Amino acid sequence: MGSGGFLPVVVMVALNVAAAVMVSLVKVAMDGGLDPLVLVTLQQLIASLFLGPIAFFRERKSRPKMTMEIFAYLFASAALGAALRQYMNFVALRYTTATFVTAFSNLAPVLTFLLAAVTRSETLNLRTGTGCAKLAGTLVSLAGAMVLTFYKGMPLTHTHLHHSASPAAAAAAAAAPSPLSAAEVNKRWTLGTVAILGNCVCLACWYLLHGRLAKKYPYVYSCNAFMSTFSFLQVAAIGLCAKRSLAAWLITSKFQILTVLYAGIVACGVSFVLLTWCIEKRGPVFVAAFIPVVQIIVSIIDFTILHESLYLGSVLGSVLVIGGLYLLLWGKRQEALQQHPKVSEHDREQQQQQVQLQP
């Protein structure tokens, strides 16, 4: 069955299950009062402690000396790809649902293509079938994002909870110390939507920035270890200014401690190592094809364990976003196969960056 046999498939399924579990754990921890800023700070600290030794022993002989240019790229990459992106992702989970967040996150590769086309780092030839496929996939995914944002629809599960003004109402009301008004629920939902949109924009910008960094500093373990360290320092500096009380940083709940450790070690550390292995074995397109699997698993957890309502708008929007994503990936893959091997290799490197920091 091609390079690597069935093992990469098993690993990718396991990685998606791990990512879905993290999203669900974070959602419950947020509802229990865990602050997003505290979570992302501790997550990046644990990830840097986990990845640092791996990068040191694996790449210590080949890694070049740090230059000011590489440092600037790493610092900016850490801010966009880890600190700001993760914070916005956690804020979105706090104010919306896990299913909505994972559905909207599928838009990131599409926004990346859009930004790349605008900045002319990605070609778009509408006179070819592959060019039309990439454009159609982008438009379909954007349409799905609009449906997710503006259309709620009827509840498909837990219909007895259908009394609020948005899909996040039941979760928001349950987590709040007192009942929320419809206006307050809508305000929280809007804030969560803006946050996850910001997450996608940050991730798209990071893809383009990291694509350039990968050419100057092609040492993936060291690169991600430095990113985790720099992002920890960035968020910690902001967090200590915003939350000067020591009590805000003390986590006493066993569940919240488990969530922080899981997010740092499993979601950022182990997952990155296994994801890199899968890319080496089967290529970036194979890995990218598994991106929507997280949403399916999260949706199952969401309404079977967390008892969230699943709405028609979320289903329709998700189908459009995922369909557009696969159409875009197909167009990019076919275009890479038709081009010169040198160009195809460049496309491979660019796509590799687009699957390394999925939520």
Side-chain angles (χ1 to χ4, degrees), residues 115-306:
L115 285 175
V118 171
T119 57
R120 297 178 182 248
S121 58
E122 173 91 24
T123 58
L124 180 61
N125 187 358
L126 296 180
R127 289 176 293 183
T128 64
T130 55
C132 292
K134 291 196 294 185
L135 179 62
T138 301
L139 295 176
V140 170
S141 289
L142 291 176
M146 298 293 285
V147 172
L148 282 170
T149 305
F150 298 110
Y151 177 64
K152 171 182 163 184
M154 61 182 290
L156 302 178
T157 61
H158 305 302
T159 55
H160 61 283
L161 296 176
H162 185 53
H163 63 274
S164 46
S166 77
S178 59
L180 296 173
S181 65
E184 182 64 23
V185 167
N186 282 330
K187 181 181 177 181
R188 291 164 66 91
W189 180 262
T190 301
L191 180 60
T193 303
V194 172
I196 192 58
L197 178 60
N199 167 278
C200 292
V201 172
C202 283
L203 193 55
C205 293
W206 177 85
Y207 286 152
L208 299 180
L209 176 65
H210 205 66
R212 297 182 181 182
L213 173 60
K215 296 176 183 178
K216 299 177 181 292
Y217 197 75
Y219 303 93
V220 291
Y221 293 97
S222 298
C223 187
N224 280 269
F226 278 126
M227 277 183 54
S228 295
T229 303
F230 290 158
S231 61
F232 160 68
L233 295 174
Q234 291 164 351
V235 182
I238 297 173
L240 291 174
C241 293
K243 300 182 179 297
R244 300 189 179 186
S245 172
L246 182 62
W249 296 91
L250 295 178
I251 301 177
T252 56
S253 167
K254 292 182 179 179
F255 180 81
Q256 292 182 357
I257 293 173
L258 171 66
T259 300
V260 170
L261 291 174
Y262 187 93
I265 297 175
V266 179
C268 285
V270 176
S271 294
F272 165 74
V273 174
L274 293 177
L275 191 65
T276 302
W277 178 82
C278 287
I279 291 173
E280 292 173 353
K281 290 293 182 181
R282 299 292 293 272
V285 174
F286 168 81
V287 174
F290 281 85
I291 291 175
V293 176
V294 177
Q295 183 190 345
I296 297 173
I297 301 172
V298 167
S299 298
I300 295 173
I301 296 175
D302 221 12
F303 67 80
T304 57
I305 299 178
L306 302 182

Side-chain angles (χ1 to χ4, degrees), residues 36-103:
L37 196 57
V38 174
L39 175 56
V40 71
T41 303
L42 297 178
Q43 178 199 36
Q44 295 305 312
L45 172 61
I46 294 171
S48 64
L49 293 175
F50 180 86
L51 290 172
I54 296 176
F56 177 78
F57 289 108
R58 190 177 179 90
E59 298 174 341
R60 69 181 186 278
K61 294 181 179 179
S62 58
R63 185 174 56 245
K65 185 181 293 186
M66 178 72 68
T67 65
M68 200 63 196
E69 182 186 17
I70 293 175
F71 175 84
Y73 269 105
L74 285 170
F75 193 84
S77 187
L80 285 173
L84 192 57
R85 180 188 73 88
Q86 284 284 36
Y87 177 71
M88 288 186 173
N89 187 49
F90 293 155
V91 168
L93 280 171
R94 189 178 195 177
Y95 293 129
T96 62
T97 64
T99 299
F100 178 83
V101 168
T102 51

